Amino acid sequence: MKILNSMCHNVFAFRRKLPHLLPFTTRQWCSQTGTSRLRILFFGTDNFSLPSLKVLNENLKSAGTVSSLEVVTSFKAKQNPLKLYSEAEQLQLHDWPLKRPSVGVDFDLGVVVSFGHLIPESLISAFRLGMLNVHASLLPKLRGAAPIVHAIRNGDTETGITIMKIKPRHFDIGEILTQRRVPISEHILMPELHSQLADIGASTLLHCIENLDRYYSKSKVQNSPDATYAPKIEAKFCEVRWAEMTAKQVYDLYRSLYSYKPLITRLGKDPVKIFRLSYSSERDSELQAGFIRYCRKTKRLRVGCQDRSTVVIEQLSIGGKKVMSAQEFSNGFLSKIEPPDRVFR
């Protein structure tokens, strides 16, 4: 009897140690079958990050794959939606940069969504299962800080979501775990596409985490020669080059920056900002690039573009003054300028 009890004790002791002795893929199988759950440290800063944090938090509250969840963000960011949400949900917050760089050893997995800071190699390696990133493009296309803006500006008809591993020293170069393709409709504006991709990114991330072993086993290296880039948006990006851009290209630029930044041009020495614009595929052979015509019937401005196609402007401002309608602009400014000088440059 004593021998039998001793054998049982040894068997149960071995079973308690078993998860630590198993290889990576088997440990992950244990995770998927409910014998282990994941401690996650989330890195993010903005509204694109928020849906991903929410789905992980809901998973935590429903006792799903997530066993604990804490958040790293920037306390300096004004109206930081992640900070507000985390405080409301009583999630533990950490300010960036971390005061304790080895904090990753307390977690199984790091998740990065629209964070904007390079993660040190020491922190990446501290996570038992590494770090994942949600990126708003079909990598290796549009690596960088502003993939949604650049996709619309380029006139792309498709973009998507990529879940990838985080690697040190460079953004957006890690192995791809999974991707979701998303069409870009002809007239969609940046905020709507941004919202779509944030929600799709969140659901794709959760599915990936719930099936992490399968996705890790099928991960693939990016083909770097195919890479394109989406850098931060500088002031020059917003400038309209009337002689070089078709009406469709001006319209795509407007859609890509909608609610974020106005288009920029000049009338004489005065800077002009364009806030509402549409385009027509009709050609106007009499309207050269940059030339402005006010239409009294529609109460809008029509401006010529590179191929004699035209855009229609409804709202704009000049010289730092308040936003005005096309009619107000025509009455207050355009009517005082001789027709040869009514040109945006």
Side-chain angles (χ1 to χ4, degrees), residues 135 142-147 172 230-232:
H135 185 76
L142 298 179
R143 293 174 175 174
D172 308 328
K232 290 181 180 180

Side-chain angles (χ1 to χ4, degrees), residues 97-202:
L98 293 170
K99 293 180 180 178
R100 185 165 64 88
S102 62
V103 69
V105 299
D106 300 331
F107 299 88
D108 300 303
L109 182 70
V111 173
V112 180
V113 186
S114 192
F115 187 54
H117 303 279
L118 279 173
I119 310 295
E121 186 170 4
S122 58
L123 180 55
I124 297 170
S125 61
F127 291 95
R128 183 172 66 89
L129 301 178
M131 301 186 77
L132 301 183
N133 175 234
V134 179
H135 185 76
S137 80
L138 298 171
L139 291 171
K141 287 188 65 177
L142 298 179
R143 293 174 175 174
I148 301 173
V149 172
H150 283 271
I152 297 175
R153 168 62 183 87
N154 293 345
D156 294 346
T157 57
E158 182 183 59
T159 186
I161 287 291
T162 299
I163 309 295
M164 51 162 277
K165 293 181 183 179
I166 289 284
K167 280 194 168 183
R169 293 183 291 279
H170 298 284
F171 287 110
D172 308 328
I173 63 169
E175 292 92 342
I176 294 170
L177 273 64
T178 187
Q179 293 183 314
R180 286 278 302 276
R181 295 182 177 274
V182 178
I184 303 176
S185 59
E186 184 180 7
H187 299 292
I188 195 169
L189 302 175
M190 185 272 289
E192 183 181 351
L193 183 59
H194 185 280
S195 180
Q196 284 183 15
L197 289 169
D199 290 340
I200 292 169

Side-chain angles (χ1 to χ4, degrees), residues 40 42 46-59 66 82 85 111-114 132-137 148 160-163 178-180 182 193-211 215:
I40 293 178
F42 186 93
D46 59 19
N47 283 317
F48 188 84
S49 313
L50 191 54
S52 291
L53 179 59
K54 285 182 176 180
V55 299
L56 295 181
N57 190 37
E58 290 302 315
N59 184 275
V66 182
L82 263 70
Y85 175 80
V111 173
V112 180
V113 186
S114 192
L132 301 183
N133 175 234
V134 179
H135 185 76
S137 80
I148 301 173
I161 287 291
T162 299
I163 309 295
T178 187
Q179 293 183 314
R180 286 278 302 276
V182 178
L193 183 59
H194 185 280
S195 180
Q196 284 183 15
L197 289 169
D199 290 340
I200 292 169
S203 61
T204 306
L205 170 68
L206 182 60
H207 190 268
C208 188
I209 289 174
E210 291 177 333
N211 301 274
Y215 283 112

